[in-house]
């Protein structure tokens, strides 16, 4: 499965259509960012990881097994860089404003999973919002929309 993921996102010289590679790349980028959100408070719980799996699965209509493999690959990819900028730059190149807003809202839902907002989590969400070229209003709207009722 990891070979399929590598091929789909263009790491391997696969023969898949560019549109498919772009979609698979978007899946990987979202996975990296959501994992980073789950780990931003230095305490990544099983509930947070489960929420990341469910979010990616729902966001891209993917089977859970595929998402779990994708997250393993995302962990490996994330370990190759020192900051999130590398990934947000690619998000800005590939995704619409609405897609970026969906990612920011998903980040907030992950932050809310444990029932508290850690200062590192809030800092990550704010940094992400800026790196995705979103406005402060978008940051607040995503936070409020994701807040548990």
């Amino acid at each position: 499965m990891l070979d399929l993921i590598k091929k789909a996102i263009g790491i391997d010289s696969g023969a898949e259509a560019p549109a498919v590679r772009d979609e698979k790349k978007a899946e990987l980028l979202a996975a990296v960012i959501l994992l980073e959100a789950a780990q931003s408070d230095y305490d990544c719980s099983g509930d947070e990881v489960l929420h990341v799996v469910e979010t990616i699965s729902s966001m891209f209509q993917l089977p859970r097994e595929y998402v779990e493999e994708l997250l393993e690959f995302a962990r490996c990819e994330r370990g190759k860089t020192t900051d999130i900028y590398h990934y947000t730059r690619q998000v800005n190149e590939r995704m619409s404003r609405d897609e970026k807003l969906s990612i920011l809202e998903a980040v907030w839902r992950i932050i809310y999973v444990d029932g508290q907002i850690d200062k590192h989590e809030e800092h990550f969400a704010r940094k992400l919002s800026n790196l995705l070229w979103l406005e402060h209003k978008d940051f607040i709207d995503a936070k409020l929309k994701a807040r548990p009722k």
Side-chain angles (χ1 to χ4, degrees), residues 6 10 21 26 34 37 41 44 48 50 64 69 72 76 78 86 113 127 129 140 148:
K6 286 180 184 179
R21 272 199 303 275
L34 295 180
D41 65 352
C44 185
E48 287 173 318
L50 179 62
R64 184 183 176 106
E69 294 272 341
E72 275 306 307
C76 294
R78 180 61 181 103
H86 172 75
V113 164
K127 178 180 169 181
S129 179
I140 298 299

Side-chain angles (χ1 to χ4, degrees), residues 69-80:
E69 294 272 341
L70 179 67
L71 290 179
E72 275 306 307
F73 188 68
R75 283 184 187 99
C76 294
E77 280 298 300
R78 180 61 181 103
K80 295 178 184 178

Side-chain angles (χ1 to χ4, degrees), residues 19-112:
V20 173
R21 272 199 303 275
D22 283 348
E23 184 177 319
K24 297 300 177 192
K25 185 70 171 187
E27 293 167 3
L28 176 64
L29 293 170
V32 168
I33 290 170
L34 295 180
L35 276 177
E36 189 73 14
Q39 297 169 349
S40 64
D41 65 352
Y42 306 103
D43 183 27
C44 185
S45 71
D47 288 342
E48 287 173 318
V49 173
L50 179 62
H51 194 75
V52 169
V53 170
E54 290 170 353
T55 300
I56 296 289
S57 182
S58 172
M59 195 179 276
F60 297 101
Q61 290 82 47
L62 297 170
R64 184 183 176 106
E65 300 78 31
Y66 179 86
V67 173
E68 289 170 356
E69 294 272 341
L70 179 67
L71 290 179
E72 275 306 307
F73 188 68
R75 283 184 187 99
C76 294
E77 280 298 300
R78 180 61 181 103
K80 295 178 184 178
T81 62
T82 57
D83 66 20
I84 199 81
Y85 174 76
H86 172 75
Y87 301 100
T88 57
R89 180 181 50 80
Q90 293 180 61
V91 167
N92 287 327
E93 292 170 358
R94 290 178 167 79
M95 294 185 180
S96 69
R97 181 176 181 280
D98 287 342
E99 291 169 322
K100 294 188 290 185
L101 288 169
S102 293
I103 289 174
L104 182 60
E105 188 179 321
V107 163
W108 275 112
R109 282 194 306 274
I110 290 164
I111 290 171
Y112 282 123

